[in-house]
Amino acid sequence: MKIAIMTDLEGPAGVNGRSDGIGNRIVNTPTACQMLVEEINACVRGLLRGGADEIVVWDGHGGSDSIDASKLLPPAQLGTIGGGLVPCVFVDASFDAKVCIGFHAMEGVADGYLNHSFDSHHVCGMWINGEPIGEIGIGAYEAAYFGVPTILVTGDRAACREAKAFLPDVETVCTKRALSRYTVVNRHPEDVRRKIEETAAHALGKLGEFKVRAIPAELEFKVRYMCPNIADSYEKAGWERLDPLTVATRGTDFIDVYSRRLGWAAGVHNRRFGITPGWRG
Ligand SMILES: [Zn+2]
């Protein structure tokens, strides 16, 4: 079985973050990266026990510089993300399952540690067909587009709650409990790693039971930005201006619609990479 692990840096136990005025800043980066790789390795051990034979770990945070490949447990392979001409999806139809390690809640969740939606300095909310969505939901739809179930999400309590609301049968492992965006009680990292290993093995062992989240046939993707000038640039690129801060784009193909947030014109992303629901990258 071939498994994709998408990672983020806000969610592991022991990551210490602050506000830089609006957005988030991790203040113990070397420790945070060590905490992340240990949680990934716990997941890799569990997935191997559950029957995985190929694992691709994507370094999903910021500039894709959080994971030292030499610290990853074999046979996990490391994917790093960079440049303008990359697909906006990191799973395809050749994968059997997707796992999210180190995740956080969407922007605006009061008890979401370091909460944000992709960009803590610009985005104040995202919706698909009126339903609020963050990185967990977008990632689950991306995998669902290729028929791949998301079987495990780890992160703070608010991230786990968000994952369960979006994917009722997903397994979760809670790493910490936030009292506010920057105040948190961390579970002991060793307890978290043990739980991640167990849960990853268990989840993969019952892979056939996971449902792939259905994607609506008609999609409206709405984003609210923190300043009107950011919304201006999306209006210029063809998005509908709903109010000074909010823009929307519509379509029937989730990956095509979502890629427009990253600057791709309608139709171009999927044509460039040959992406269809059965795409194998
Ligand atoms: Zn993130």
Side-chain angles (χ1 to χ4, degrees):
M1 283 186 287
K2 182 177 176 185
I3 316 297
I5 301 179
M6 179 51 76
T7 71
D8 213 345
L9 192 56
E10 287 84 359
V15 173
N16 191 7
R18 293 287 180 276
S19 174
D20 65 6
I22 295 173
N24 303 322
R25 181 171 54 90
I26 288 169
V27 296
N28 66 339
T29 302
T31 304
C33 292
Q34 181 65 27
M35 295 293 131
L36 172 63
V37 81
E38 295 285 0
E39 291 191 8
I40 294 166
N41 286 342
C43 181
V44 168
R45 282 193 297 273
L47 292 172
L48 293 173
R49 271 172 49 195
D53 44 32
E54 186 174 355
I55 298 170
V56 179
V57 177
W58 284 102
D59 188 345
H61 179 76
S64 220
D65 59 356
S66 303
I67 301 171
D68 175 347
S70 68
K71 292 183 180 164
L72 273 185
L73 204 65
Q77 306 169 68
L78 179 63
T80 57
I81 303 163
L85 205 62
V86 291
C88 70
V89 288
F90 302 98
V91 57
D92 63 41
S94 70
F95 287 86
D96 296 289
K98 178 178 176 181
V99 171
C100 298
I101 297 288
F103 271 58
H104 54 83
M106 67 179 81
E107 175 76 32
V109 174
D111 66 337
Y113 191 63
L114 297 168
N115 69 77
H116 66 282
S117 297
F118 295 108
D119 182 340
S120 64
H121 293 89
H122 295 98
V123 175
C124 58
M126 303 190 310
W127 295 261
I128 294 277
N129 293 358
E131 182 187 6
I133 193 161
E135 296 178 30
I136 294 168
I138 293 286
Y141 271 148
E142 286 175 356
Y145 181 93
F146 301 105
V148 177
T150 300
I151 63 171
L152 169 63
V153 174
T154 75
D156 71 302
R157 184 176 56 169
C160 293
R161 189 174 67 226
E162 188 173 312
K164 278 279 186 196
F166 198 78
L167 302 166
D169 57 3
V170 75
E171 297 281 343
T172 60
V173 175
C174 176
T175 57
K176 51 195 170 187
R177 179 173 53 85
L179 307 177
S180 69
R181 200 183 191 194
Y182 300 112
T183 300
V184 70
V185 179
N186 291 281
R187 292 180 64 196
H188 194 283
E190 285 173 21
D191 292 338
V192 170
R193 292 167 201 161
R194 202 172 309 117
K195 187 73 183 160
I196 289 175
E197 179 176 344
E198 252 169 48
T199 310
H202 170 74
L204 200 53
K206 57 163 199 164
L207 178 61
E209 293 174 30
F210 289 93
K211 288 195 184 63
V212 174
R213 165 96 190 206
I215 302 177
E218 302 281 338
L219 297 152
E220 183 202 56
F221 182 36
K222 191 168 81 175
V223 185
R224 177 167 297 159
Y225 290 97
M226 293 180 186
C227 309
N229 52 296
I230 306 164
D232 290 346
S233 59
Y234 284 89
E235 184 177 1
K236 286 198 283 188
W239 292 51
E240 184 186 342
R241 191 69 170 257
L242 300 179
D243 65 42
L245 296 174
T246 313
V247 290
T249 189
R250 294 176 188 82
T252 55
D253 181 297
F254 178 79
I255 301 297
D256 178 54
V257 168
Y258 177 68
S259 72
R260 298 173 203 166
R261 189 186 74 80
L262 303 171
W264 293 91
V268 177
H269 174 276
N270 288 10
R271 189 168 68 235
R272 175 62 179 79
F273 297 107
I275 290 179
T276 64
W279 179 64
R280 287 168 183 262

